[in-house]
Amino acid sequence: IVMNCNPFTLGHQYLIEYASSKVDYLYVFVVEEDRSYFRFEDRLKLVKVGCSHLNNVIVVPSGSFVLSYDTLPVYFEKSVHQEEKVDATNDLEIFARYIAPELGITKRFAGEEPTDKITKQYNEQMKDVLSKFGIEFEEIPRKCLDNEAISASKVRKVLKEKNWEEIKKMVPECTFNFLYKNYSQTIKNKL
């Protein structure tokens, strides 16, 4: 799985738990670019803590060649490119040719994307490109809360409002504690 986790939610945790039940070992690549609201270092730590109960999950940084600005810049500029056609071939072929064989990866998972057009196109292209390299792709239905997919963008919106009760419903305890400790007094304007 490749995830940004901006921040790590119960939806991310659900996807990881589901995927880990389907494979012997699961690599979770946390997007290493520091182009998100939350710093890479914090996102990586939250994913590691939030997955510590899963013995077959290995959480690693994505590096420069797994969903990075160098391999798919439009992913990091989504707000201005939602209507554009995405070509993720470069990113996916690097993964399929070099990363997957080195780590013995034969299956890649992603969560369904109901709203973000860039990520939705990326998922669609994974089905086609990865299969050419013998890598199975599985799109997992998203975990919902009140009939709405749990999303990091919704958590960021609710964080701006300081709605701690709503946040508590959408994130694991490790994320809630991090958010409350760092944002209960002041919410940065960047949200």
Side-chain angles (χ1 to χ4, degrees):
I1 301 178
V2 179
M3 298 179 146
N4 196 21
C5 300
N6 186 38
F8 184 61
T9 68
L10 288 171
H12 294 117
Q13 190 175 55
Y14 166 77
L15 293 173
I16 293 168
E17 288 172 346
Y18 172 86
S20 73
S21 74
K22 302 294 181 189
V23 295
D24 294 331
Y25 294 99
L26 178 70
Y27 287 98
V28 177
F29 294 89
V30 178
V31 173
E32 194 166 349
E33 295 285 349
D34 256 328
R35 296 174 183 265
S36 300
Y37 180 73
F38 296 99
R39 296 178 321 143
F40 163 70
E41 176 183 307
D42 295 330
R43 291 183 288 111
L44 180 68
K45 182 178 178 182
L46 290 173
V47 177
K48 284 183 174 183
V49 172
C51 295
S52 61
H53 63 289
L54 301 167
N55 295 328
N56 66 334
V57 172
I58 303 155
V59 179
V60 296
S62 68
S64 300
F65 299 106
V66 177
L67 192 55
S68 70
Y69 191 81
D70 291 334
T71 64
L72 191 62
V74 70
Y75 182 84
F76 300 93
E77 300 165 347
K78 291 180 188 182
S79 61
V80 294
H81 295 287
Q82 280 295 304
E83 300 307 319
E84 289 186 25
K85 178 140 177 60
V86 173
D87 181 2
T89 306
N90 182 49
D91 177 81
L92 295 169
E93 285 189 358
I94 289 170
F95 179 83
R97 286 183 196 276
Y98 304 106
I99 310 296
E102 191 67 30
L103 298 174
I105 296 170
T106 58
K107 187 167 185 170
R108 185 157 164 182
F109 299 90
E112 282 181 335
E113 184 47 63
T115 57
D116 184 295
K117 294 176 184 178
I118 301 295
T119 303
K120 186 174 188 134
Q121 289 181 67
Y122 185 66
N123 284 2
E124 290 167 2
Q125 290 178 34
M126 273 194 271
K127 293 172 194 170
D128 181 49
V129 174
L130 296 178
S131 68
K132 292 175 184 172
F133 293 89
I135 299 171
E136 185 182 347
F137 174 71
E138 184 174 347
E139 196 169 29
I140 304 165
R142 302 263 299 260
K143 182 175 181 73
C144 291
L145 175 66
D146 300 327
N147 294 318
E148 186 179 335
I150 295 174
S151 71
S153 58
K154 175 82 185 271
V155 172
R156 292 190 308 272
K157 179 181 181 280
V158 176
L159 177 62
K160 191 173 186 178
E161 299 164 358
K162 292 188 179 184
N163 186 339
W164 298 107
E165 288 306 311
E166 194 65 24
I167 291 169
K168 192 176 273 194
K169 296 176 191 175
M170 296 186 287
V171 300
E173 185 177 357
C174 61
T175 302
F176 182 83
N177 291 340
F178 168 80
L179 293 174
Y180 193 79
K181 177 183 176 191
N182 291 287
Y183 297 94
S184 63
Q185 299 302 316
T186 307
I187 302 297
K188 297 178 182 176
N189 292 331
K190 189 174 176 184
L191 275 175

